[in-house]
């Protein structure tokens, strides 16, 4: 990895930590990397070759897991409609729920397009990192 790219990633990680963000994604050209904190470290880097091979070999997982421990909020405010409900179609980047940890709200977003098949938690439930929140089938 070029030193310049590494400097950019390091600066972005420091900025995101200062902002209280739970994850940061870096993308440049065909290179994409997502780093999460507050949960076991997960670093993923892809290239056009291995992305095509992986897409042919496996379907994306149907479960959306909590990236960190906190209180799960299924709607943006008390009394407001939920972000999603079973049967809803979702697109990548769409907010599925919020996790509140130490008075910081972290949006949990859809990684891929699909249909919500099940909400696995109740509004206001305490969750730990890795708990199943929502099932989205591609």
């Amino acid at each position: 990895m070029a030193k310049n790219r590494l400097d950019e990633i390091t600066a972005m990680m420091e900025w995101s930590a200062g902002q209280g963000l739970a994850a940061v994604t870096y993308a440049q050209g065909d290179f994409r990397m997502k780093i999460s904190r507050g949960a076991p470290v997960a670093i993923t880097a892809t290239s056009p070759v291995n992305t095509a091979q992986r897409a042919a070999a496996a379907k994306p997982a149907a479960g959306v897991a909590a990236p960190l421990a906190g209180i799960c909020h299924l709607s943006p405010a008390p009394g407001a409609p939920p972000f999603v409900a079973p049967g809803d179609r979702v697109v990548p980047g769409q907010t599925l729920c919020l996790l509140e940890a130490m008075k910081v709200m972290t949006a949990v977003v859809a990684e891929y397009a699909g249909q919500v098949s099940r909400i696995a938690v109740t509004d206001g439930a305490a969750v730990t990192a890795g708990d199943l929140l929502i099932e989205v089938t591609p």
Side-chain angles (χ1 to χ4, degrees):
M1 180 178 302
K3 181 165 176 38
N4 190 25
R5 184 179 290 170
L6 185 58
D7 290 341
E8 289 177 42
I9 294 168
T10 302
M12 189 181 318
M13 289 170 54
E14 290 171 354
W15 175 82
S16 68
Q19 299 296 312
L21 301 176
V24 62
T25 300
Y26 177 86
Q28 184 176 33
D30 292 331
F31 179 82
R32 179 177 166 88
M33 180 171 68
K34 180 177 181 179
I35 301 172
S36 302
R37 65 181 183 93
V41 176
I43 301 176
T44 306
T46 59
S47 69
V49 173
N50 66 18
T51 301
Q53 290 170 344
R54 266 191 271 142
K59 290 184 177 180
V64 176
L68 54 97
I71 304 299
C72 183
H73 298 283
L74 298 176
S75 61
F83 289 105
V84 294
D88 288 354
R89 299 286 309 164
V90 296
V91 296
Q94 181 177 342
T95 300
L96 303 174
C97 63
L98 297 174
L99 291 180
E100 179 182 2
M102 298 172 29
K103 301 192 187 239
V104 174
M105 295 292 198
T106 301
V108 177
V109 300
E111 294 285 325
Y112 52 87
Q115 184 173 16
V116 175
S117 54
R118 179 170 80 101
I119 308 292
V121 296
T122 58
D123 191 42
V127 298
T128 59
D131 284 355
L132 177 65
L133 300 174
I134 297 171
E135 288 182 356
V136 178
T137 54

